[in-house]
Amino acid sequence: MDEAAGAKARAAELGADLKVVNLGNDANKTVSEVQSAIARKSDGLIIVVPDPAVGQQVVQTARDARAALLTADDQVCTSGPSPAQCAASDLVPRIGFSGRQMGRQVGQRAAEEFKKAGWNPADTRIISAWKQDVTVFGDRVKAAKDAFDQGRAGSAYDNIIDVLTPPPV
């Protein structure tokens, strides 16, 4: 929301017309909104895809219309549904926050709270729940785990349980 507000303010300063659409978690809405933007003769799109699997369709729609495309926050692959398995040259240019920096800050704070609570690592489990096919989440989680380990005196913490989200049906 803050990014959208900032983009709107900057677009207004530049005299550009910017429409912000909240896609929620709806992949179908993503495709239809991209098609609507193209039909309105948009020169470019900046998108946060709720599901990276629709990335190829979004890329192709923008390319067919010769509209510029950037992603915000999450990566989108031009050649497959999974940005995590995509060659760097096939990733759509991305703008947004640094997942690694955010993860480091979270991990440092978690280590401080862990030490403050006086918990015994042998008696403690950590559940790490995240959508593992979204690259920026992976960047964030890895950086958080590394910073947590460093903040706890440099030893690896083995009692982390990774949970896939959403769970398989």
Side-chain angles (χ1 to χ4, degrees):
M1 300 308 285
D2 288 342
E3 285 177 327
K8 278 181 158 180
R10 184 67 176 143
E13 289 173 14
L14 297 171
D17 181 28
L18 176 68
K19 179 180 180 187
V20 175
V21 177
N22 185 348
L23 301 172
N25 292 321
D26 189 339
N28 291 324
K29 185 176 181 180
T30 303
V31 173
S32 66
E33 288 292 342
V34 167
Q35 291 168 339
S36 292
I38 296 301
R40 289 190 306 274
K41 306 288 186 213
S42 297
D43 294 322
L45 307 166
I46 302 171
I47 188 165
V48 178
V49 294
D51 181 350
V54 299
Q56 279 184 283
Q57 188 172 357
V58 167
V59 168
Q60 193 58 53
T61 302
R63 281 182 178 164
D64 290 348
R66 292 188 168 88
L69 179 65
L70 291 173
T71 63
D73 300 338
D74 302 330
Q75 294 282 189
V76 170
C77 183
T78 64
S79 60
S82 175
Q85 297 172 350
C86 188
S89 61
D90 289 342
L91 293 171
V92 174
R94 183 182 78 86
I95 57 173
F97 62 85
S98 165
R100 286 182 186 91
Q101 182 180 8
M102 183 185 292
R104 267 193 309 276
Q105 291 172 333
V106 168
Q108 290 166 348
R109 177 64 187 269
E112 291 170 15
E113 296 299 325
F114 188 90
K115 286 195 281 190
K116 211 185 309 182
W119 292 342
N120 179 353
D123 299 331
T124 306
R125 304 296 178 270
I126 297 172
I127 294 176
S128 178
W130 51 289
K131 196 164 184 319
Q132 295 176 345
D133 61 345
V134 177
T135 53
V136 293
F137 290 173
D139 293 344
R140 193 179 321 160
V141 170
K142 181 179 179 342
K145 288 178 180 180
D146 290 347
F148 180 79
D149 283 345
Q150 290 173 357
R152 285 192 49 261
S155 61
Y157 190 79
D158 295 325
N159 293 326
I160 296 177
I161 301 164
D162 287 316
V163 177
L164 294 172
T165 62
V169 180

